[in-house]
Amino acid sequence: MKKIQMLIDGEWIGDQNDQWIDVIDPASGKLTTQIVRGDNAHADRAVQASKNALKSSTWKSVKPFERGQLLQDTARYVRENAEELARLESLDTGKPIGQANADIEAAARYFEFYGGLADKVFGDTIPIEENLVNFTTIEPIGVTLHIVPWNYPIQITARSVAAAIATGNAVIVKSSEDTPLTTNFLAEWFNEKLPKGVFQHVTGYGAEIGAALSSHPGVDQITFTGSVPTGIAVMKAAADNVVPVTLELGGKSPNVVFKDADLDRAVPSIVNSILQNAGQTCSAGSRLLVDESIADELLERIKERFSGIKVGPPSHNADVGPIINEKQYKRILAMLGSIDKNANVLAGGKAVQVKGYENGFYISPAIIEASSHSDFFVQEEIFGPVLSVIRFTSVEEAIDLANDTPYGLVAGVWTKDIDRAHYAASRIDSGQVFINSYGAAGGVQMPFGGYKKSGIGREKSHLAVQNYIQIKNTAIQLQL
Ligand code: NAD
């Protein structure tokens, strides 16, 4: 077993003097590897190395187009190693290999996209008055901290790291305790290609090295993806240092199905939106809001599709893999166990034993019709393969229900009526609205982020570079 060391200041850190944390394969419950339990001293060292890298002319003198080329090379490297990266991602997360392949391609697209943008981030000239030359210049914001969760490790790492490197920053990635493998793979590459301290990878518990870095006065910007409580803690820590945060905190995203929807198109998309990655997706379509007049037919068709779903490990080529770890598995089962008797469980929601993988964390996909929209499983993010269903009888009611959670990340609207589609899309409080689809092939070019408790700021797209820059205004008074 190869242990995963941290990459700090161009050195591989982690030996017998360090404490190590076990990383478990969720498909089998077996040990995959170990990571270093990073501490405050590691955090200090990483931040100092980033600061030094930013000061050094070795990184400063790399031109924007050269940073772009490096990122394009990274995209090629990711694609050349797609098979191995997908294997590692699938081993770490338990996700089916087909989904891991899609994640690796999405990561390559982020490196490609921001590689292309690196030399296209411009300032402005601002007309004020005669003899005053006024312009803005773009500078890197500095040391950027990227706290990454376990559900899409390489994609989430790539999307913010690529934008930060494109704009000339020094990045520190804190990978999740559950999923260090693909970030380590990228660390090996960047260690060869970038000056030391420009890309660093640290590991350990969130409450330890994660908190130490979030509150570190040397960190200039934080991009965090994960739970709402941790996002709040990170934001509070950043506030003490007056440092900006980009937060992506999940959702309770609805698919709103009107009576004239094309169900042949809607059904596979709705099913995929909740079962992809075993429902452990921030933008999962975890609420189904359906017009009363078509509800029975739609639910029958979704149930039929659920009955053909195979739950199991990546090696079985299953449709739905395991839950990431024992804690999440028990949490989801406990939530399912406490669902009110008035709710109607239409499918699944039970622990599943897979032969030969008895210690894996499997749950059968659930469809649960709620008696009230205030039921906790309709309001709270379960982060598992659980679809909650509510019926509506009018467009206004559908919109009110769509907006009736603390979240606002993504929504799907299903209708053939263009007026109704736009009417609903413009009134749903959500960072993205898909009409007659849900999700869009990675969506690298599309701004992504939340209203309400789903987060702050936007990732993906050309807009994300704004998270990683300072804008300096300079005014020159001419005297002739
Ligand atoms: P989490 O928010 O605790 O962890 C996410 C990342 O933050 C990890 O890298 C973790 O090490 C780090 N972290 C934890 N505590 C920290 C702290 N005090 N300071 C700095 N960093 C810290 O999430 P979790 O415990 O892995 O999962 C719990 C719930 O979070 C899930 O059930 C789900 O609802 C949500 N979640 C959301 C996403 C998403 O994509 N939005 C991803 C994973 C989990």
Side-chain angles (χ1 to χ4, degrees):
M1 180 189 73
K2 185 174 171 278
K3 292 183 179 187
I4 302 293
Q5 292 172 299
M6 298 195 280
L7 176 63
I8 298 179
D9 204 10
E11 283 178 29
W12 294 102
I13 305 293
D15 58 27
Q16 66 279 7
N17 298 320
D18 288 293
Q19 291 189 48
W20 294 80
I21 302 170
D22 289 348
V23 180
I24 303 295
D25 169 8
S28 64
K30 291 185 184 148
L31 185 71
T32 308
T33 185
Q34 287 182 317
I35 53 170
V36 184
R37 183 173 172 178
D39 57 23
N40 290 6
H42 293 122
D44 283 342
R45 195 170 160 204
V47 173
Q48 194 50 53
S50 289
K51 292 266 173 229
N52 294 343
L54 287 166
K55 264 194 238 144
S56 141
S57 62
T58 324
W59 183 224
K60 267 192 174 163
S61 64
V62 178
K63 299 180 181 87
F65 88 87
E66 292 168 333
R67 298 197 298 259
Q69 284 177 336
L70 177 273
L71 291 169
Q72 303 278 0
D73 289 347
T74 307
R76 266 190 294 280
Y77 176 75
V78 166
R79 287 203 177 98
E80 278 160 19
N81 290 280
E83 206 175 313
E84 174 62 0
L85 279 163
R87 187 187 71 76
L88 294 174
E89 195 78 325
S90 179
L91 178 64
D92 249 358
T93 61
K95 68 178 71 187
I97 200 79
Q99 289 177 27
N101 284 331
D103 290 0
I104 305 310
E105 176 54 22
R109 287 281 298 115
Y110 284 118
F111 288 120
E112 197 169 59
F113 181 80
Y114 290 106
L117 267 185
D119 57 356
K120 299 169 192 69
V121 185
F122 307 129
D124 298 308
T125 52
I126 304 163
I128 307 275
E129 59 186 39
E130 196 185 11
N131 293 335
L132 188 74
V133 179
N134 197 303
F135 57 94
T136 58
T137 42
I138 304 296
E139 296 176 1
I141 197 163
V143 179
T144 64
L145 170 62
H146 307 250
I147 303 180
V148 179
W150 40 260
N151 52 348
Y152 292 86
I154 192 167
Q155 271 207 58
I156 292 176
T157 301
R159 76 182 180 198
S160 63
V161 160
I165 290 180
T167 38
N169 296 280
V171 310
I172 302 174
V173 181
K174 151 74 180 82
S175 59
S176 161
E177 316 53 329
D178 290 304
T179 53
L181 295 178
T182 48
T183 313
N184 180 60
F185 199 96
L186 291 178
E188 286 173 356
W189 160 262
F190 281 127
N191 193 34
E192 299 283 311
K193 301 290 167 188
L194 285 169
K196 64 182 185 172
V198 175
F199 180 101
Q200 303 187 86
H201 176 208
V202 301
T203 58
Y205 292 119
E208 295 177 359
I209 190 161
L213 284 165
S214 312
S215 59
H216 202 291
V219 167
D220 300 302
Q221 187 276 347
I222 306 176
T223 295
F224 170 84
T225 307
S227 64
V228 173
T230 307
I232 292 169
V234 166
M235 191 173 170
K236 283 183 174 163
D240 282 339
N241 295 316
V242 195
V243 156
V245 291
T246 304
L247 302 178
E248 204 269 90
L249 307 180
K252 196 71 186 177
S253 298
N255 269 296
V256 186
V257 188
F258 291 104
K259 59 187 168 199
D260 64 340
D262 179 343
L263 296 190
D264 290 340
R265 281 172 71 186
V267 169
S269 191
I270 291 167
V271 171
N272 183 56
S273 76
I274 184 61
L275 295 189
Q276 183 183 316
N277 208 31
Q280 303 169 112
T281 303
C282 44
S283 55
S286 52
R287 282 186 301 147
L288 174 61
L289 308 179
V290 54
D291 189 288
E292 170 71 50
S293 64
I294 56 158
D296 289 341
E297 185 193 348
L298 178 61
L299 290 175
E300 248 345 282
R301 290 174 71 165
I302 292 176
K303 257 169 71 178
E304 193 188 320
R305 260 192 121 84
F306 266 48
S307 65
I309 294 293
K310 205 164 102 187
V311 178
S315 57
H316 288 189
N317 203 19
D319 308 299
V320 172
I323 301 304
I324 186 70
N325 57 33
E326 191 174 11
K327 185 173 149 217
Q328 283 293 105
Y329 172 73
K330 287 187 170 159
R331 183 182 149 273
I332 295 168
L333 288 176
M335 284 177 109
L336 287 166
S338 59
I339 281 172
D340 192 76
K341 283 192 291 298
N342 297 326
N344 188 7
V345 180
L346 301 172
K350 300 267 181 292
V352 174
Q353 284 281 303
V354 179
K355 199 159 179 284
Y357 292 82
E358 284 77 8
N359 294 325
F361 310 120
Y362 301 96
I363 294 178
S364 57
I367 308 170
I368 307 173
E369 186 160 3
S371 57
S372 153
H373 200 262
S374 57
D375 284 354
F376 83 89
F377 66 92
V378 187
Q379 292 291 320
E380 290 176 29
E381 190 175 47
I382 295 179
F383 232 60
V386 181
L387 179 64
S388 57
V389 183
I390 283 276
R391 299 173 191 229
F392 62 81
T393 54
S394 70
V395 175
E396 293 307 328
E397 189 191 3
I399 292 166
D400 286 348
L401 291 172
N403 289 334
D404 179 32
T405 76
Y407 296 102
L409 191 58
V410 173
V413 172
W414 298 88
T415 177
K416 288 183 201 140
D417 180 330
I418 193 165
D419 295 316
R420 187 180 290 145
H422 280 288
Y423 184 84
S426 66
R427 281 161 179 76
I428 294 177
D429 302 330
S430 172
Q432 271 182 337
V433 182
F434 293 100
I435 296 170
N436 295 325
S437 69
Y438 195 95
V444 168
Q445 305 94 318
M446 295 154 52
F448 180 66
Y451 284 35
K452 302 192 278 184
K453 285 200 171 148
S454 285
I456 294 180
R458 293 294 176 267
E459 295 204 66
K460 307 186 178 183
S461 86
H462 64 293
L463 297 176
V465 294
Q466 301 295 327
N467 302 331
Y468 305 104
I469 59 173
Q470 283 283 17
I471 298 174
K472 180 175 283 174
N473 182 224
T474 307
I476 309 170
Q477 185 71 61
L478 303 181
Q479 270 183 331
L480 297 174

